[in-house]
Amino acid sequence: MSADEDMDVPEVLAKIPRRRWPRHIAVIMDGNGRWAGLRGQPRVMGHRQGAEAVQRIVEECARLQVSCLTLYAFSNENWQRPADEVEALMALYEDYLRQERPRLLAQQIRFRNIGRRSDLPQGVLREIEESERVSAEMKGMTLSLAVNYGGRQEIVDAAREVARQAAAGRLSPESIDEHVLDDMMYTKGLPDVDLIIRTAGEMRISNFLLWQSWYAELHVTQVLWPDFSASDLHLAIADYAGRRRRFGGLDKEGGPHEA
Ligand code: FPP
């Protein structure tokens, strides 16, 4: 991919050849609760401000022609939070999907949800399906929202599908390889994750994209998600571009995608 001539590339990225940019960025959006706590506000205010950051970062990634952006919005484990917080988050996703749809389309963004759809409230499910339907033919960035997502659960679902196909005689044990499994993940068709950004300082993966991020580079920032800005995104991309990706091999000349 070559950078669009008239795209206003931020200074920190201007000298980095496009082949060194990440194709697939995934974000663990953490720190909403802390952001609210620091201001003496209820946690839900942090999530609302977090939704503003989502809009900002989606827009900037699309503008920079990043191929894929995947956002961790709600994990399988997040159901353990107090019922009123879960309810507020679900309402926020529903509103976000409905309100942002025209903007996503205007930016040529293809939307998809990753995660188990069972257990999601009807309203959220309806908006997910509608956003997927109307954006299916879009040719710009793919935005994946992980709602009711768990990396282990995704692998379990893939294993179930393998077993179903094997039982039906459509798959033999010998033909199962990484490509077969890759096609059974929720992220079917997307490239592996190149860069995981985690806000708010914790150094863990938290059950996010376990299969897809096998050789992803990690960028952890202390910035709380509601404060995460376009400049923070640029710094993360520049940090990634400076890494030497060896994929278990030895150093080679060239960019991250040449190894
Ligand atoms: C983690 O912060 C964040 C979440 C569990 C939810 C992510 C949700 C958003 C960013 C809001 C809106 C998203 C969309 C797609 C509209 P935390 O509550 O765990 O923060 P803490 O660790 O500081 O308590």
Side-chain angles (χ1 to χ4, degrees):
M1 191 187 345
S2 65
D4 196 331
E5 297 262 295
D6 13 286
M7 192 210 298
D8 181 16
V9 178
E11 209 181 319
V12 67
L13 297 177
K15 294 210 167 62
I16 301 173
R18 194 73 198 191
R19 66 186 159 75
R20 296 191 73 94
W21 289 40
R23 281 170 300 182
H24 189 166
I25 301 177
V27 189
I28 303 177
M29 309 181 289
D30 199 9
N32 295 349
R34 273 163 279 179
W35 186 93
L38 285 170
R39 289 160 179 78
Q41 294 176 1
R43 295 175 57 78
V44 64
M45 295 306 287
H47 294 317
R48 284 204 191 123
Q49 209 57 38
E52 305 273 322
V54 167
Q55 199 232 305
R56 191 160 65 229
I57 296 310
V58 167
E59 192 168 324
E60 183 62 0
C61 283
R63 192 185 74 77
L64 292 174
Q65 298 176 5
V66 169
S67 294
C68 302
L69 174 68
T70 301
L71 301 176
Y72 204 6
F74 194 89
S75 71
N76 287 150
E77 292 75 32
N78 285 151
W79 295 107
Q80 297 162 34
R81 294 191 175 206
D84 59 344
E85 183 172 344
V86 169
E87 214 172 292
L89 279 168
M90 290 298 156
L92 209 52
Y93 302 141
E94 191 178 330
D95 289 350
Y96 170 81
L97 289 167
R98 194 176 41 247
Q99 285 165 16
E100 287 301 305
R101 199 173 295 130
R103 214 194 301 248
L104 296 185
L105 294 179
Q107 294 168 105
Q108 300 290 308
I109 292 173
R110 185 167 66 112
F111 174 84
R112 61 157 85 172
N113 182 75
I114 58 170
R116 281 190 182 159
R117 295 181 187 224
S118 53
D119 310 326
L120 288 179
Q122 270 307 311
V124 177
L125 200 55
R126 191 183 55 234
E127 299 304 332
I128 283 173
E129 286 173 354
E130 182 62 5
S131 290
E132 287 180 337
R133 191 184 66 76
V134 299
S135 71
E137 302 303 322
M138 291 289 137
K139 299 285 181 256
M141 181 175 84
T142 298
L143 169 65
S144 307
L145 203 59
V147 181
N148 196 20
Y149 175 86
R152 280 192 162 199
Q153 292 78 359
E154 178 179 34
I155 292 169
V156 168
D157 285 349
R160 286 180 181 162
E161 184 57 24
V162 166
R164 267 193 293 271
Q165 294 198 13
R170 289 200 299 273
L171 203 58
S172 66
E174 298 69 35
S175 65
I176 298 168
D177 61 12
E178 290 182 24
H179 301 290
V180 169
L181 282 171
D182 211 39
D183 277 353
M184 289 180 185
M185 298 293 158
Y186 306 143
T187 50
K188 179 181 167 145
L190 301 185
D192 286 330
V193 173
D194 295 311
L195 167 64
I196 292 188
I197 299 172
R198 180 162 189 149
T199 58
E202 313 285 354
M203 299 280 191
R204 26 170 201 276
I205 291 296
S206 302
N207 202 15
F208 190 39
L209 299 172
L210 299 180
W211 173 269
Q212 300 83 348
S213 58
W214 67 314
Y215 270 104
E217 298 292 326
L218 299 176
H219 175 90
V220 177
T221 169
Q222 296 299 322
V223 175
L224 304 177
W225 175 252
D227 290 330
F228 194 76
S229 65
S231 311
D232 294 316
L233 172 74
H234 305 153
L235 285 178
I237 295 175
D239 181 21
Y240 166 86
R243 305 279 178 90
R244 299 189 78 92
R245 301 189 78 195
R246 294 188 296 268
F247 294 94
L250 299 178
D251 264 342
K252 284 183 189 166
E253 284 303 309
H257 303 307
E258 294 180 349

